[in-house]
Every structure is written in C-alpha cells, then in structure tokens.
Amino acid sequence: MKTQLLVAMSIALATQFAHAAPVWKKSGEVSYLCGGVGEEEFTSLESLKASSNLAVLLTAGERGAYVSDVMLTVSGAQLKVPLIIGAAGPLCVFRMPPGSYDVQAERAGQIKSARVQVGARVTSTQLRFAE
C-alpha cells in the first residue's frame, strides 16, 4: 500500500514539473527562450510571443520543416556583447531593448541572416535553410 502511494505521488510530482512554465534565460540585457521540439513545447513557446518583442522561427526546405541545433547570434548597438546561443528547437523568443538588430543563424555550414527592427510589440522573422 505504501509503495502504491509513493508511486502515485511520484507520478503526480513528475506531471506537475513537466507542465511547469519555462524559465527565461538571461544574458546581459536580453531574456530568451528557445525550444519547440514537439507540439506541446512549440505551442507553449508560441503563447509566450505576446510577452516578448522578437520571435525567430528556424526552418528548412521548401515546406518549412522545423529545425533545431542551430547557432544563433543576435547583435546590435543596444547590446554590450552579441548574444550567441545554441537553439535547441525551431522557435526562439526574446525580450530585449528596442532597436535594430542583426540575427544570424548557422546550421550545417549554412548561414542565414536578417536585420530586424524591435520595438514594444513582437517582431517575427523566419530564417529558412536549404534541405
């Protein structure tokens, strides 16, 4: 009986932590989250776009398949140092000072980039790699 109770409590705790809100990472004046591997995680990150001011979607091919394992660099005059992160999923959302930024993504030797103007509302950009 005690064993069944412990197992039930362990499952309940694991479920609670599995659905916990993601924790924003911080680097200098930028807070960010990257992920979106799996539908539930992607949907969770999508819902956070409203509380961010930059969203970057990483895709490949004509159909826009989601990709991960991308090195992402964000630079601009508003940042003391460029933000360099490994994107573990296809969607990254940022909270950063308003201004003009260069976003560069590198995957398997390919480099894609975009210049974005970030303000109070979310700016979205998609960087698409060849297959």
Side-chain angles (χ1 to χ4, degrees), residues 52-56 74 92-94 96 103 116 118 122-125:
S52 68
N53 59 355
L54 176 62
V56 178
V74 181
C92 295
V93 292
F94 301 86
M96 53 201 319
V103 180
V116 295
V118 174
V122 66
T123 297
S124 296
T125 191

Side-chain angles (χ1 to χ4, degrees), residues 22-77:
V23 177
W24 288 83
K25 296 178 182 170
K26 186 140 176 76
S27 178
E29 45 283 285
V30 179
S31 298
Y32 66 93
L33 286 168
C34 287
V37 175
E39 187 175 336
E40 188 175 315
E41 186 179 322
F42 189 87
T43 302
S44 176
L45 273 178
E46 272 272 301
S47 70
L48 294 172
K49 283 171 70 171
S51 65
S52 68
N53 59 355
L54 176 62
V56 178
L57 182 63
L58 304 164
T59 62
E62 214 171 279
R63 292 186 171 181
Y66 296 154
V67 296
S68 58
D69 297 326
V70 175
M71 288 304 298
L72 198 59
T73 303
V74 181
S75 58

Side-chain angles (χ1 to χ4, degrees), residues 111-130:
I111 296 175
K112 298 296 175 183
S113 61
R115 178 165 283 228
V116 295
Q117 189 65 39
V118 174
R121 294 186 176 181
V122 66
T123 297
S124 296
T125 191
Q126 179 176 356
L127 298 174
R128 185 182 300 229
F129 296 93

Side-chain angles (χ1 to χ4, degrees), residues 4-20:
Q4 290 174 335
L5 182 59
L6 284 172
V7 169
M9 287 173 56
S10 296
I11 291 171
L13 266 172
T15 303
Q16 179 182 0
F17 285 112
H19 298 293

